[in-house]
Amino acid sequence: AQTVTQSQPEMSVQEAETVTLSCTYDTSENNYYLFWYKQPPSRQMILVIRQEAYKQQNATENRFSVNFQKAAKSFSLKISDSQLGDTAMYFCAFMKLTQGGSEKLVFGKGTKLTVNP
Amino acid sequence: NAGVTQTPKFQVLKTGQSMTLQCAQDMNHEYMSWYRQDPGMGLRLIHYSVGAGITDQGEVPNGYNVSRSTTEDFPLRLLSAAPSQTSVYFCASSYSGLRPREKLFFGSGTQLSVL
């Protein structure tokens, strides 16, 4: 079974600064995807970024980037130029690839990020 | 398009009561699923469906029933509510299976309290 660990329950950062959220996972699979989801106070789940395990290049989406270390099973999220709207819960998630499509995402417990003015 | 609609948004139940959480999508999605979110636990899969008439269990199915009689609807039933089922429930759907390159659409959640 796959497990996802987010070791930082809460973090804070000053506006305009950079913050890195940590995520590690455990799997025996070789083909999988990793995701970061954002959940603001509105409770809506928003996909921030995804990474394919077979790609060595780290994914980036505007101010969001990941540091994917496959051998170490580490998948951290870096938020640059933090904005007040980045205040949210952030969840790391794992998806195993199957021929017919995976049936679930495995989520970490989340990191609550607060961006201070 | 309305996307994924969950009703009600909030509900308070007494132990032993039954209720159904509704989930509807208007995007002709084959895949629908239910997650629960507990503080400090992340989201955990309860049940999922890959099409009308097909359902399967997820990680935490005990105490919940589902059925999928139409493509649009995927209700979650609590037959005898327990305080351990106090949680926020999310419905999520995608077009064809849960695939990494397909967007997973989430509803806005139902906050359930069981006293």
Side-chain angles (χ1 to χ4, degrees):
Chain A
Q2 291 78 28
T3 59
V4 177
T5 302
Q6 294 179 247
S7 59
Q8 305 150 316
E10 294 190 37
M11 294 191 72
S12 62
V13 63
Q14 291 299 122
E15 196 174 6
E17 293 187 346
T18 295
V19 64
T20 299
L21 309 184
S22 300
C23 173
T24 58
Y25 58 95
D26 187 24
T27 184
S28 59
E29 302 291 333
N30 195 46
N31 295 320
Y32 52 88
Y33 276 69
L34 296 162
F35 303 83
W36 279 98
Y37 277 87
K38 170 185 177 182
Q39 186 182 46
S42 66
R43 280 197 325 224
Q44 190 65 34
M45 292 290 288
I46 302 165
L47 177 64
V48 175
I49 200 165
R50 84 182 99 209
Q51 174 77 42
E52 299 141 5
Y54 65 87
K55 285 189 175 181
Q56 293 186 338
Q57 185 175 4
N58 289 324
T60 62
E61 288 286 344
N62 301 314
R63 298 183 295 108
F64 298 88
S65 62
V66 298
N67 183 5
F68 174 49
Q69 301 290 329
K70 190 173 184 180
K73 296 180 182 175
S74 171
F75 183 61
S76 61
L77 175 70
K78 185 172 81 171
I79 305 174
S80 304
D81 186 26
S82 296
Q83 301 176 359
L84 297 178
D86 295 333
T87 292
M89 282 289 288
Y90 287 82
F91 293 98
C92 180
F94 173 99
M95 179 188 292
K96 181 180 72 173
L97 284 182
T98 63
Q99 191 171 3
S102 175
E103 72 276 10
K104 67 177 180 181
L105 284 170
V106 177
F107 286 88
K109 295 182 178 181
T111 296
K112 182 178 181 181
L113 176 67
T114 301
V115 180
N116 298 309
Chain B
N1 288 340
V4 179
T5 302
Q6 288 185 237
T7 55
K9 293 191 183 303
F10 301 93
Q11 183 70 48
V12 178
L13 290 178
K14 294 181 180 179
T15 297
Q17 285 185 317
S18 63
M19 81 158 295
T20 299
L21 307 185
Q22 301 290 345
C23 176
Q25 51 84 15
D26 60 357
M27 298 172 284
N28 200 30
H29 285 177
E30 290 185 359
Y31 178 88
M32 297 185 74
S33 57
W34 278 101
Y35 288 85
R36 61 176 288 174
Q37 181 180 10
D38 302 300
M41 293 296 295
L43 280 76
R44 293 180 291 170
L45 182 68
I46 304 171
H47 286 285
Y48 66 98
S49 169
V50 296
I54 306 171
T55 64
D56 207 345
Q57 296 181 350
E59 187 181 357
V60 288
N62 292 340
Y64 307 95
N65 284 342
V66 293
S67 60
R68 185 94 180 268
S69 56
T70 67
T71 300
E72 296 78 18
D73 301 299
F74 190 45
L76 179 71
R77 298 183 184 86
L78 285 70
L79 297 180
S80 179
S84 61
Q85 293 178 305
T86 294
S87 188
V88 179
Y89 292 84
F90 287 94
C91 181
S93 72
S94 65
Y95 183 65
S96 60
L98 183 59
R99 302 179 189 277
R101 291 192 172 276
E102 280 199 35
K103 183 177 178 180
L104 186 62
F105 291 77
F106 284 86
S108 57
T110 294
Q111 186 168 335
L112 176 67
S113 296
V114 183
L115 306 178

